[in-house]
Amino acid sequence: MQSNPYQPLISLLSNILEAYTTAFFIFDPRNRQLNLVGIQSLSKFIAPSVALPLEQSGILSQVQKVGQTIHLDKVHEATSSINLTLPFYREGESHIKGLFAVPVAGGAGVLYVDTKYGWGFNDKQQKWIREVADLLGGILKEQEGAVQQSNFARIFEAWNRLDEVAFKGHALESYCELFLTECSQLLDMEHGFMALREPGKKTFRLLGCTANTPRGIVSQSFQIKQGLIGWLFQNQKNLLIIRLNPDTPDHFLFSPGENLPHHGTLWGIPAQTSLGYELALVFLSRRMIEWNTDSEKAVIHAFHFFQLLLEQIYYKEENEALNSYDICTGLFNAPAFESRVEGLLNASMQSSVSFTLGFIQFEPWQILSTKALPKRIRQLQREIAASLCDALPPGVLVGQLAENRFGVLFPETTVQEAQSQLAELANYGKIALKGIKGIKLQPYTASVGYPQDAAKVEDLWPLASQRLFAAFRLKPERSDS
């Protein structure tokens, strides 16, 4: 256990002065109280651990606030109640003749000395007290610097561990759990949660959590109108509850029956992304926790970085969607569909399985385009695409190759099986064709298979196109539009 760095000076000064009590208090600005950190006393009325609220610390409060040294050489005449003047004497004292209190390090602490042997302290004794106060101030600053340096090292190491993972292609959920674990350790909190609310939704879910979270919470969705996390989403304000009250009806995070502590400290921070997603970062402990401002700032900074990383992921997904899907129908666009065909060909070659590439085209589209508004044409495209996807078996991929041409990819399917399914779509009205008055849309189909018809992707597409053009020359069967 580390020894008290202040006690040797306190003991030395007390022995030199033959003081009755010599005590050193450090000011805690967060809780606005004076904490006793070093003492030598002959009194039996001082508690072993003393923490005085600043406003109730008597003469020490005046020294700390004003920064003025106080020397009383006739304490009996200066105060009617020593309990109010010197409240650290637990049950009261008597016969104290003089006291001297001096601020340390600009109010960061207070050095107090009293005596029962004389009426105060002479000039030489006062000089000794002030010199010891200066030495204590130096130690105090060194201690604060050492603590801060140690904390900075912890922060740097945590940031470094997060940076090493951030751009290595790890799943977002894995990075999120690491982020929450590192930040919880910086704050000395037991639980960490990252909640996500998608644009326009009245519910939120967990994007990530520390490993000690009950599994039943992880997979659920929660209403934003309940719980403290819901409060963060609704109010978009930071939330700090030093001590949760289990008897308060709304002091729960997700739902009333959750298996989480409701009597410690909670800290929550909301955030919004440019794509409309909302986040809530929440930490929870079983006991009251106080962390330093450096750790708090470090977590907030890391949270901003997490938001940037999340936005990068979502923008990448958005960009991939724009580059992969037809904006009108939502089907794979031509480049994306061609890429899937090539990927399936490579996989099929390695596994020695077959697949079929099919085309389905609707005519006369050009005549239709001259008699209908573009808005109606787009609506018709969406209707055809939706009916294709509904009619085809699961696992079959559909792509938009042109305004009126669709590609259909049948994994592990022969040409005969695929052509049968395409013919059934075309001939038996499974495709919804709500055309334009006076124009009857007719579906034409063609298919080509691997390895039956071609073994290279360069050969599949031309052959499928040739078969589709050949289908145009055949007289279509009569069908109602």
Side-chain angles (χ1 to χ4, degrees), residues 159-172:
W159 282 354
N160 190 50
R161 286 190 291 268
L162 290 173
D163 286 346
E164 287 178 350
V165 175
F167 299 104
K168 296 291 181 65
H170 291 268
L172 177 61

Side-chain angles (χ1 to χ4, degrees), residues 239-416:
L239 178 63
L240 175 61
I241 302 177
I242 299 298
R243 184 192 292 274
L244 288 167
N245 184 356
D247 297 324
T248 301
D250 58 352
H251 271 204
F252 58 86
L253 277 71
F254 302 94
S255 58
E258 66 193 18
N259 185 23
L260 290 170
H262 294 158
H263 44 264
T265 296
L266 178 138
W267 182 36
I269 316 169
Q272 293 181 327
T273 70
S274 59
L275 287 174
Y277 293 88
E278 295 180 5
L279 295 171
L281 175 61
V282 180
F283 298 99
L284 176 68
S285 68
R286 294 184 177 275
R287 64 194 188 285
M288 288 181 60
I289 295 292
E290 295 177 6
W291 53 82
N292 58 62
T293 56
D294 293 328
S295 295
E296 181 177 321
K297 291 176 181 177
V299 169
I300 293 174
H301 179 82
F303 187 31
H304 289 323
F305 179 81
F306 181 88
Q307 294 173 56
L308 294 175
L309 182 63
L310 184 65
E311 288 196 336
Q312 181 191 58
I313 293 172
Y314 283 155
Y315 271 116
K316 185 177 180 180
E317 291 178 353
E318 189 86 3
N319 183 63
E320 288 177 352
L322 291 173
N323 290 330
S324 299
Y325 297 95
D326 181 81
I327 195 170
C328 176
T329 62
L331 301 176
F332 287 117
N333 58 26
F337 186 77
E338 292 172 10
S339 175
R340 267 62 180 184
V341 172
E342 185 171 358
L344 184 57
L345 174 63
N346 294 332
S348 297
M349 292 176 65
Q350 294 178 4
S351 305
S352 298
V353 296
S354 61
F355 73 87
T356 298
L357 170 63
F359 284 171
I360 182 166
Q361 184 164 322
F362 297 87
E363 294 295 350
W365 197 264
Q366 288 186 344
I367 298 175
L368 180 73
S369 301
T370 62
K371 294 190 176 185
L373 294 174
K375 181 178 180 180
R376 179 66 184 94
I377 297 296
R378 291 193 296 271
Q379 181 183 359
L380 183 58
Q381 285 179 299
R382 288 191 290 269
E383 292 171 355
I384 293 174
S387 61
L388 276 173
C389 293
D390 290 341
L392 287 166
V396 175
L397 301 181
V398 183
Q400 183 87 33
L401 304 183
E403 282 190 356
N404 60 328
R405 182 184 297 181
F406 298 84
V408 186
L409 190 55
F410 298 88
E412 300 183 16
T413 306
T414 65
V415 174
Q416 291 76 17

